[in-house]
Amino acid sequence: MANSLNIVFAGTPDFAAKHLAALYASEHNVIGVYTQPDRPAGRGKKLMPSAVKTLALNNGTAIYQPASLKNEEVQQQFAALNADIMIVVAYGLILPKAVLDAPKLGCLNVHGSLLPKWRGAAPIQRAIWAGDKFTGISIMQMDEGLDTGAVLLEKSMAITGAATSATLYEDLSELGPQALIETLENLENLSPSIQNDDEATYAHKLSKEEARIDWSLNAQQLARNVRAFNPWPVVWFTHNDESIKVWQVEVVEAFDVLPEGTIVNVDKNGIEVATSEHNLLLSNIQIPGKKAQSVADIINGKPDMFVVGQRLA
């Protein structure tokens, strides 16, 4: 697009802030920023601004932090900005029709999956969890559905076998701003692609309970869980009445059929545990009150903590 656009941006975490930074560096004008209200954080539970708010403050942009966009007064305030377009990235609030319809060119969303796959809250994590080989960024024209709007542009990338949600998040936070700026530059020439609802999958939110190891799953799935739930909520299991977090694992061949959850071997390489298919080697774990450590370091100090033949809960 030849002319610069007057943009209202809506987003909250660091992932969104990287897209906002790209807009500040472009020819376009960011005339307002919406982000979620400050939240308590840290041991003191002090109210902390979002990454998006911090960046907007540094750039002198007007900031709006409504708890909801359903209020008529909030909607009128938004409409008065007279934006050409709204860009939404991991904002966390539902946009009602009055907001969707207010900007002249509508609202665009940057979504961390190749739509219609993994609509919803946790697309990056679910792609790893499911064993997908590829993911990417979709720039979507927003409608009243949940990530159901027509897609204007997609950028794909491979998911490596070592990728965690943390590393994939970083990769997509580099790809997303590039895709967004490309979309804005070519907005007049892009043809919206209607999503096929029959191919849609939903990326449910993660929970701490889901991250608890179920040894009846196969080792491949458990290894994907470890990568998908890093850095949150982190895979864990209970041993000697303690919750132990698991940060790094490896799938190894099983030579004997043992009950699921049985410790097969313990050495400097890790704790080898039987699953429903293959064994899982836990190489880096975190016991309560400690930082994540290699199993070699832990068994040096506590050689009897894990014993061959024990069955983990």
Side-chain angles (χ1 to χ4, degrees), residues 36 44 85 141 148 272:
Q36 291 218 23
I85 197 167
Q141 185 78 52
T148 56
E272 185 177 342

Side-chain angles (χ1 to χ4, degrees), residues 245-257:
K245 295 180 178 179
V246 181
W247 290 95
Q248 290 181 359
V249 298
E250 180 183 343
V251 177
V252 295
E253 186 177 353
F255 295 100
D256 297 298
V257 179

Side-chain angles (χ1 to χ4, degrees), residues 8-10 20 24 30-35 52-53 56 61-64:
V8 170
F9 183 87
L20 178 57
Y24 280 132
V30 181
I31 60 173
V33 166
Y34 280 71
T35 190
V52 163
K53 180 178 179 179
T61 309
I63 298 168
Y64 307 89

